[in-house]
Amino acid sequence: MGEDVHVLKFLTGKYKGEEFPLSPERSSYVVGRSSEVDLVLADDAVSRKHLRFYFERGRTWLGDLGSQNGTLVNGKPATRHCLRAGDRIAIGSSLLCVVAVKPGELSSTTKRAGERSRARSGAKDDSASRSMSGALDEIPLVDVLQWLGTSRKTGTLMVKRTDVAKIGRIYLRDGFFFYATIDGIAGLDPEKAMMRMMGWTKGTFALENGVPENVPKEISTTLEHVLMESARQEDEIQHLAERSPIPAYGAELRLLSPSPVRWRELQPLEIDMIQDIAERRSWAHILDTYPASDLALHKAIVELRRRKLVDY
């Protein structure tokens, strides 16, 4: 049957659903906006000759050809990369994934992809008017945001988490996110909303037109910071849970009596938490309304439980 053939599958953008095989019968394939290349992408964000796929030492490689907007592989800029099944590639406003297919399993539709690519070389770039949507299990949210940043999109990214029926909204202006909310959680800090959505792996996303003219507080940090901080906090909370019980999101907290310490000996954050617990506030209320990070709040509640001030 021969070695597997890498196939580029368009996940979203104006070519969603199309496939392009990288058969080693040829030495290389050039991708770009020019009508003279092998895979034509009629997209102003794509350079005339953007990148090249080529074969070397029995492997398939990607090489960026000095494109103006660059190429993202698995959410990171790449100038050269050895392709693997499952890789996600962002080229202009198109998101693709790499799948491995047996030569005999290539469909006739896939085999004719090159012909369709050349035929559409003169097509008008109407990607902005197409619905940009997909599934989070195919395209992680960070890749979606990287792609929208490269494409300099403006709009509202609707993110639906299906396992717990939550809807988040990320607002972008010229490719930069500036605000985020999660429906049903009033007062949630926009950066905390972003970090929580970064952990969503089951659901869908769709870019819609329009953004609010005014928001209470704009996000000033970069996507890289949000991603790194989100991963760090999630990892530390997980380690914390391995050592001590942590409350579930909707858990009810209760004070223990008599208190083993005077409340005036507590830190200001701990005193605020004690007051809310006394007023029968839930753990979700504390997580969603406090400006402190989710990690700081988890550490504080675990410490209060360790000192036998609260239980859950």
Side-chain angles (χ1 to χ4, degrees), residues 42-112:
D43 182 345
D44 290 340
V46 175
S47 298
R48 290 183 59 80
K49 292 185 178 181
H50 196 101
L51 61 87
R52 180 172 71 103
F53 292 102
Y54 59 98
F55 305 94
E56 187 176 284
R57 300 190 299 276
R59 297 178 179 271
T60 308
W61 295 79
L62 173 156
D64 189 272
L65 298 175
S67 63
Q68 182 176 356
N69 292 316
T71 303
L72 298 177
V73 178
N74 301 325
K76 298 179 180 179
T79 55
R80 187 171 185 266
H81 175 78
C82 179
L83 288 194
R84 297 175 179 84
D87 282 343
R88 301 175 303 278
I89 305 172
I91 310 170
S93 61
S94 294
L95 272 172
L96 310 85
C97 73
V98 178
V99 296
V101 178
K102 297 294 183 184
E105 297 175 357
L106 289 174
S107 67
S108 58
T109 301
T110 301
K111 291 178 180 178
R112 291 196 298 269

Side-chain angles (χ1 to χ4, degrees), residues 57-251:
R57 300 190 299 276
R59 297 178 179 271
T60 308
W61 295 79
L62 173 156
D64 189 272
L65 298 175
S67 63
Q68 182 176 356
N69 292 316
T71 303
L72 298 177
V73 178
N74 301 325
K76 298 179 180 179
T79 55
R80 187 171 185 266
H81 175 78
C82 179
L83 288 194
R84 297 175 179 84
D87 282 343
R88 301 175 303 278
I89 305 172
I91 310 170
S93 61
S94 294
L95 272 172
L96 310 85
C97 73
V98 178
V99 296
V101 178
K102 297 294 183 184
E105 297 175 357
L106 289 174
S107 67
S108 58
T109 301
T110 301
K111 291 178 180 178
R112 291 196 298 269
E115 297 175 10
R116 290 201 309 276
S117 171
R118 292 185 179 280
R120 71 186 180 216
S121 62
K124 181 182 178 181
D125 180 12
D126 61 350
S127 58
S129 64
R130 301 292 184 94
S131 174
M132 297 184 179
S133 60
L136 294 177
D137 58 350
E138 287 187 327
I139 316 170
L141 187 56
V142 61
D143 286 4
V144 177
L145 291 171
Q146 291 273 23
W147 161 56
L148 292 173
T150 301
S151 305
R152 299 177 183 175
K153 297 297 182 184
T154 295
T156 300
L157 185 67
M158 300 283 293
V159 187
K160 296 183 179 180
R161 180 176 174 179
T162 53
D163 55 338
V164 293
K166 285 188 176 294
I167 298 178
R169 304 168 197 269
I170 301 175
Y171 303 99
L172 299 108
R173 185 190 300 122
D174 295 326
F176 294 95
F177 61 87
F178 65 93
Y179 194 65
T181 62
I182 297 177
D183 288 6
I185 307 180
L188 181 63
D189 182 87
E191 189 168 327
K192 288 177 71 170
M194 279 287 300
M195 290 186 183
R196 288 194 191 172
M197 281 187 271
M198 286 296 180
W200 293 4
T201 57
K202 297 180 180 179
T204 61
F205 67 87
L207 183 66
E208 299 184 353
N209 294 327
V211 294
E213 294 184 3
N214 299 294
V215 296
K217 173 189 175 183
E218 291 204 6
I219 300 173
S220 57
T221 54
T222 64
L223 176 61
E224 289 72 20
H225 168 80
V226 170
L227 179 63
M228 292 179 62
E229 184 63 14
S230 174
R232 183 187 73 83
Q233 289 193 31
E234 184 177 351
D235 185 59
E236 290 201 30
I237 291 173
Q238 182 177 348
H239 285 304
L240 184 66
E242 293 172 355
R243 300 190 302 270
S244 306
I246 62 174
Y249 177 73

Side-chain angles (χ1 to χ4, degrees), residues 285-298:
H285 170 85
I286 292 174
L287 283 175
D288 295 340
T289 62
Y290 279 44
S293 70
D294 285 356
L295 175 60
L297 293 172
H298 276 88

